Amino acid sequence: MKTNIKLFFAASLVALTAGCTDLNVDVESQYTSYPTSDVALEAKMADVYFHLRGTLGRRYMEAQALSSDEWVGISFGGDYYDEGTYAHTCLHNFYPTDPSTGWYEDVAAGITKANTVIRDMGGKETSPKATAPARAMRAFYHFILMDSYGDVPILDALPADGEAVERKPRAEVAKYIESELLDIIPLLSTTNNATTYGKPNKWMAEALLVKLYINWPVYTASDVTAYDATSYKNEKLEDCVKYCDDIISSGNFSLSEGAKGYRSKFFPNNGSQIKDFIYAMPYDALTATGFQYGRPRVWRQGRNDGNGGPGYFGTTLSQSTGGNFSMTPEMSSLFTLANDARNENILAGQIYMFDASTYAKTSTPYNYLGTPVVLSKDIELDASVADKSRLDVGKNVHGWSQGYKSVKYFIIDSDFKNGRNQSNDLPIFRYADILLTKAEAITRGATATNGDTPMSLFNQIRSYVGAPTLTTAPTLSNILDERGRELFDENWRRNDMIRFGTFENEYGFHKKDFPTARFEKTCRVFPIPQDVLNKNTNWKQNAGY
């Protein structure tokens, strides 16, 4: 658990009014007068900044990770089937009632909170600088909705009582986000230190703009199915490089994290000291809860050794573990570069113990009930289960050991005992991503700047993790693979795969001969959750659902 978390969350001790999640209810009545004290203002702003802790800490992750080629959602003799939400997601067989893709209202509530703050501060015309951070968060929340659900409303003000909210074409939403970011970037703080950590500043807004621009052809296509990666034409590539350069030249960010290297970026004590993080969501297992990436990624019985001894984290975990996520064989194959520090996050084959104090892997095998635990790369379903769509591997050691696992977000028991929460902060925008995006933009046709080439940018990543460097320019395929290694489990893989044209490929159990796997291009966006449609009866479900 972090000891420096108080700096970021003191304001959250003030009682806050929950945000509206139904877009058609009267939000004017929530506040009769606006508190004017600095503490009250900071509390209101903090509620906007950190609103999505719970969503980003679990359900959003499930949607992005399981729909990509990173993870498969398996079950064990019925355990963790959970009405199919994990299996549906990794087969692209999305249901409007699935919890893993059902967090639309959570994000919309963040927009409502941002709009409330903007209104109560007098609006952007009266207080342009003061409202800029709330507008940045509003743009970010619109981006999440647009990226995941396609056509969504543009909510730049609180709707009037009884007003029907209309969805807008995705391209229009993308252009709105661009306009907002260009307007507020000059107004946002350039400070980048512990006081701005987890809050929107200029660099966060520019990184969001980079994400928008590199995906511009995806978001502005006439239809979600119309985008074709083989004919990628992007009018925003030069602008993409421009904002990458602004972040790079700021001098605020770097790849190196000292002697502990790549893995330390994601340890339970990570935070503002990680200079690779442009923008992150801070978590603390007691005071800022919601981060639960560890539970599904731990080997099913990895909390202990089955005989009263510690599990492979070097300690006995107070709570049970799920283990219902396994890496796809395709993603596992990326973590094979010689001397690549990123490989140390992957549990492949024999599992070894970790040191509970340093989090370093030891040479001691992890045994369960006296027998070494060995994970298989390929995932074998339980042949006795007739319904393959359940992705059931069996409720035994053999089943639990199907597929590789990850310790990227290392678990410590002092965190995990509190409802399986963790104190690992979640990176959202990273400097490494900016370098790889600039390499991609130049490879796609943008003008090279500042002496950078795709190879030099690519090799900055390879060099700092100790992996072999390239001697020729990387291909787009090389860049996609490197993004898979560097940004593994950071919620960008689905976004990348759609842009690169691999989302409809075969991976995991998303195979053409699998009975319930879907390959329609309409699956590039999730269905609008049924609860949202029930409240907004003027909306139609996304095509294909």
Side-chain angles (χ1 to χ4, degrees):
M1 184 178 68
K2 293 182 176 67
T3 57
N4 62 346
I5 204 73
K6 295 179 182 178
L7 176 63
F8 308 115
F9 308 114
S12 66
L13 298 178
V14 179
L16 301 174
T17 303
C20 167
T21 57
D22 182 348
L23 299 180
N24 287 327
V25 302
D26 177 16
V27 296
E28 296 287 337
S29 62
Q30 291 185 84
Y31 306 100
T32 55
S33 62
Y34 185 68
T36 57
S37 73
D38 289 343
V39 171
L41 175 60
E42 179 62 21
K44 294 270 289 192
M45 293 298 288
D47 198 28
V48 174
Y49 299 154
F50 308 122
H51 167 72
L52 281 189
R53 276 206 193 97
T55 301
L56 294 176
R58 182 183 175 189
R59 292 302 192 186
Y60 178 80
M61 169 274 293
E62 292 173 1
Q64 307 304 323
L66 291 174
S67 65
S68 76
D69 64 358
E70 289 185 331
W71 294 97
V72 173
I74 55 178
S75 63
F76 312 109
D79 287 354
Y80 289 96
Y81 178 64
D82 291 4
E83 299 184 336
T85 186
Y86 313 119
H88 294 164
T89 303
C90 62
L91 296 170
H92 295 189
N93 189 25
F94 309 113
Y95 282 52
T97 53
D98 282 336
S100 291
T101 56
W103 33 266
Y104 183 105
E105 287 189 289
D106 294 342
V107 185
I111 297 175
T112 297
K113 289 182 178 184
N115 279 330
T116 301
V117 168
I118 293 167
R119 179 201 65 185
D120 292 343
M121 294 178 71
K124 64 181 184 180
E125 292 81 9
T126 301
S127 306
K129 193 174 183 69
T131 57
R135 291 173 65 192
M137 294 306 302
R138 183 174 67 183
F140 178 52
Y141 294 156
H142 275 88
F143 176 87
I144 291 175
L145 291 181
M146 175 205 66
D147 178 72
S148 294
Y149 297 102
D151 298 350
V152 296
I154 294 175
L155 299 168
D156 59 353
L158 294 168
D161 185 18
E163 177 184 351
V165 176
E166 300 288 347
R167 296 169 72 189
K168 298 295 183 183
R170 197 185 204 186
E172 191 174 333
V173 182
K175 291 170 184 176
Y176 163 74
I177 296 169
E178 177 194 30
S179 176
E180 279 289 282
L181 293 173
L182 292 175
D183 195 33
I184 64 175
I185 282 171
L187 303 173
L188 289 165
S189 172
T190 60
T191 302
N192 192 78
N193 57 31
T195 66
T196 62
Y197 184 68
K199 301 175 183 178
N201 58 12
K202 175 184 177 181
W203 317 113
M204 174 271 196
E206 290 192 341
L208 177 56
L209 194 55
V210 165
K211 285 290 183 186
L212 186 72
Y213 281 158
I214 198 66
N215 287 290
W216 196 254
V218 177
Y219 298 145
T220 59
S222 59
D223 179 82
V224 70
T225 66
Y227 171 72
D228 182 1
T230 63
S231 58
Y232 180 100
K233 294 179 181 178
N234 189 341
E235 64 189 90
K236 298 293 185 180
L237 283 179
E238 302 293 346
D239 290 323
C240 184
V241 169
K242 171 186 173 181
Y243 287 99
C244 286
D245 282 346
D246 204 36
I247 293 170
I248 293 168
S249 64
S250 73
N252 288 314
F253 309 102
S254 68
L255 295 173
S256 176
E257 300 302 336
K260 293 188 177 180
Y262 180 85
R263 289 190 62 227
S264 67
K265 298 177 194 287
F266 313 99
F267 283 167
N269 59 355
N270 64 352
S272 61
Q273 77 276 14
I274 307 298
K275 298 306 178 187
D276 186 25
F277 290 4
I278 298 171
Y279 177 59
M281 182 60 71
Y283 287 91
D284 181 88
L286 296 179
T287 64
T289 61
F291 190 82
Q292 297 183 336
Y293 282 34
R295 182 184 184 187
R297 290 161 173 78
V298 181
W299 187 71
R300 180 71 179 95
Q301 304 297 338
R303 63 182 297 198
N304 56 39
D305 68 356
N307 286 319
Y312 59 78
F313 289 99
T315 188
T316 299
L317 298 180
S318 300
Q319 302 282 340
S320 64
T321 53
N324 58 307
F325 284 15
S326 288
M327 292 174 63
T328 69
E330 293 78 10
M331 180 55 60
S332 299
S333 293
L334 293 184
F335 291 90
T336 55
L337 295 178
N339 302 314
D340 189 340
R342 298 168 298 194
N343 297 344
E344 294 302 308
N345 283 322
I346 309 304
L347 300 185
Q350 170 72 60
I351 299 180
Y352 290 88
M353 298 291 290
F354 287 82
D355 187 296
S357 299
T358 66
Y359 315 144
K361 183 186 289 187
T362 73
S363 59
T364 303
Y366 164 65
N367 295 336
Y368 180 71
L369 296 176
T371 302
V373 176
V374 180
L375 306 180
S376 64
K377 180 179 178 181
D378 294 321
I379 303 172
E380 176 186 293
L381 298 182
D382 186 346
S384 69
V385 179
D387 185 357
K388 290 186 176 182
S389 69
R390 298 178 69 88
L391 302 187
D392 197 321
V393 294
K395 192 174 182 179
N396 50 43
V397 170
H398 177 76
W400 298 330
S401 304
Q402 298 301 302
Y404 292 170
K405 303 293 184 180
S406 168
V407 292
K408 181 165 180 172
Y409 299 104
F410 198 89
I411 295 174
I412 56 175
D413 187 55
S414 59
D415 286 347
F416 202 66
K417 66 177 56 178
N418 183 42
R420 302 182 183 86
N421 283 287
Q422 296 174 249
S423 294
N424 315 62
D425 294 349
L426 173 67
I428 297 172
F429 302 133
R430 286 175 51 205
Y431 182 66
D433 194 346
I434 294 299
L435 296 180
L436 287 171
T437 302
K438 183 178 180 182
E440 178 186 339
I442 297 171
T443 301
R444 292 187 183 276
T447 303
T449 60
N450 301 331
D452 291 330
T453 66
M455 187 172 73
S456 69
L457 292 160
F458 189 97
N459 281 341
Q460 285 188 57
I461 303 297
R462 285 286 184 90
S463 295
Y464 98 98
V465 296
T469 56
L470 299 187
T471 56
T472 59
T475 64
L476 286 175
S477 180
N478 293 150
I479 292 171
L480 178 61
D481 285 351
E482 198 66 18
R483 291 185 64 82
R485 297 182 187 98
E486 180 65 26
L487 304 172
F488 171 66
D489 227 2
E490 296 178 41
N491 300 321
W492 289 114
R493 188 63 175 176
R494 169 187 160 273
N495 178 285
D496 288 344
M497 294 179 74
I498 293 170
R499 180 173 74 257
F500 280 84
T502 62
F503 191 64
E504 286 87 36
N505 286 5
E506 294 184 289
Y507 43 86
F509 290 103
H510 186 246
K511 299 287 176 62
K512 294 289 179 63
D513 62 352
F514 199 86
T516 57
R518 293 187 59 187
F519 291 84
E520 297 91 339
K521 294 179 181 178
T522 51
C523 296
R524 292 173 179 175
V525 293
F526 304 131
I528 300 296
Q530 192 59 49
D531 287 347
V532 176
L533 290 179
N534 292 344
K535 294 175 182 177
N536 295 273
T537 55
N538 55 318
W539 293 13
K540 292 182 179 180
Q541 181 57 272
N542 283 337
Y545 299 108

